[in-house]
C-alpha cells in the first residue's frame, strides 16, 4: 500500500498519512517530483487499512508530517507546506507554503539538512529538526510571529491559514 515511507501521522479520525520519499537521494531534480503523501483508511471498521489514496504529490524530498485542523503540515525541504482537502474528494485541494528557506546550504537544498521529526509539544507547538544558518522568527497567516527557527531546529504555532 505504501512505497519508501519515512514519516507518518494519525489524524483525529484514525486515518493515517504516510510520507513517501521516493526521490531520495538522487531524484530531487526530476519533475514532477516523486515524493508524495498517501492517505490510508479503514473503510469497514475491522482495524485494518484497506483503502490507499494519494493525498498530495509532486513533493521534493518530503520528510515529516503532522495533522492539524483537518489538514496536514508536510516538510518538503526547503518548505513547510499545509495541505487540506476541502470538498472531501480525498485529495488535498489546498496547498499553501507556510515557511520556506530550510535546509539550504551553499544556495541549494542539501540532502543532509532535511527538515525532519515533527513532534507535538505540551505547549501546543509543533517542533522539528532542521539545519538553519541563523535564528529567525517565522510568520504565517496574519503576519504574527508563529514560529521560530534556530541552528538545529524550529517550532511553529499552528493556526489556520488566513
Amino acid at each position: 500500500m505504501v512505497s519508501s515511507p519515512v514519516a507518518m501521522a494519525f489524524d483525529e479520525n484514525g486515518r493515517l498519512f504516510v510520507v513517501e520519499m521516493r526521490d531520495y537521494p538522487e531524484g530531487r531534480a526530476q519533475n514532477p517530483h516523486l515524493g508524495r503523501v498517501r492517505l490510508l483508511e479503514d473503510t469497514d471498521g475491522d482495524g485494518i487499512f484497506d483503502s490507499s489514496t494519494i493525498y498530495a504529490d509532486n513533493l521534493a524530498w518530503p520528510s515529516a508530517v503532522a495533522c492539524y485542523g483537518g489538514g496536514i503540515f508536510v516538510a518538503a525541504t526547503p518548505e513547510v507546506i499545509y495541505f487540506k482537502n476541502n470538498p472531501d474528494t480525498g485529495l488535498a485541494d489546498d496547498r499553501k507554503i507556510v515557511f520556506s528557506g530550510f535546509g539550504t546550504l551553499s544556495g541549494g537544498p542539501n540532502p543532509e539538512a532535511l527538515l525532519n521529526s515533527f513532534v507535538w509539544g505540551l505547549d501546543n507547538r509543533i517542533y522539528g529538526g532542521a539545519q538553519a544558518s541563523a535564528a529567525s522568527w517565522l510568520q504565517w497567516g496574519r503576519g504574527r510571529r508563529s514560529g521560530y527557527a534556530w541552528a538545529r531546529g524550529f517550532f511553529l504555532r499552528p493556526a489556520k491559514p488566513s
Side-chain angles (χ1 to χ4, degrees):
M1 292 183 99
V2 298
S3 171
S4 303
V6 295
M8 62 184 179
F10 288 94
D11 73 359
E12 66 276 10
N13 298 313
R15 302 180 306 169
L16 181 61
F17 292 87
V18 180
V19 173
E20 298 179 338
M21 189 190 296
R22 302 179 314 140
D23 54 354
Y24 186 83
E26 302 297 329
R28 181 178 172 81
Q30 186 169 338
N31 213 346
H33 299 297
L34 297 176
R36 61 188 180 197
V37 177
R38 188 173 290 277
L39 171 60
L40 302 180
E41 296 180 273
D42 173 12
T43 60
D44 58 12
D46 66 357
I48 299 171
F49 292 115
D50 50 38
S51 172
S52 174
T53 306
I54 297 172
Y55 185 77
D57 62 0
N58 194 19
L59 298 169
W61 289 343
S63 54
V65 62
C67 298
Y68 175 75
I72 57 173
F73 288 102
V74 175
T77 301
E79 302 163 337
V80 176
I81 307 166
Y82 184 73
F83 291 97
K84 188 167 185 178
N85 171 15
N86 287 325
D88 206 25
T89 61
L91 300 173
D93 303 304
D94 290 342
R95 177 184 182 132
K96 178 175 175 116
I97 297 171
V98 294
F99 302 120
S100 188
F102 290 102
T104 54
L105 300 174
S106 302
N110 182 334
E112 296 172 359
L114 296 178
L115 288 162
N116 61 82
S117 306
F118 284 173
V119 177
W120 278 99
L122 294 175
D123 56 0
N124 205 30
R125 296 174 178 172
I126 297 173
Y127 289 85
Q131 177 69 35
S133 58
S136 61
W137 281 100
L138 307 170
Q139 295 189 7
W140 177 38
R142 296 175 189 89
R144 70 182 182 97
R145 290 182 172 176
S146 50
Y148 190 74
W150 60 92
R152 296 285 185 255
F154 71 97
F155 73 79
L156 61 99
R157 292 185 201 116
K160 292 183 181 168
S162 56

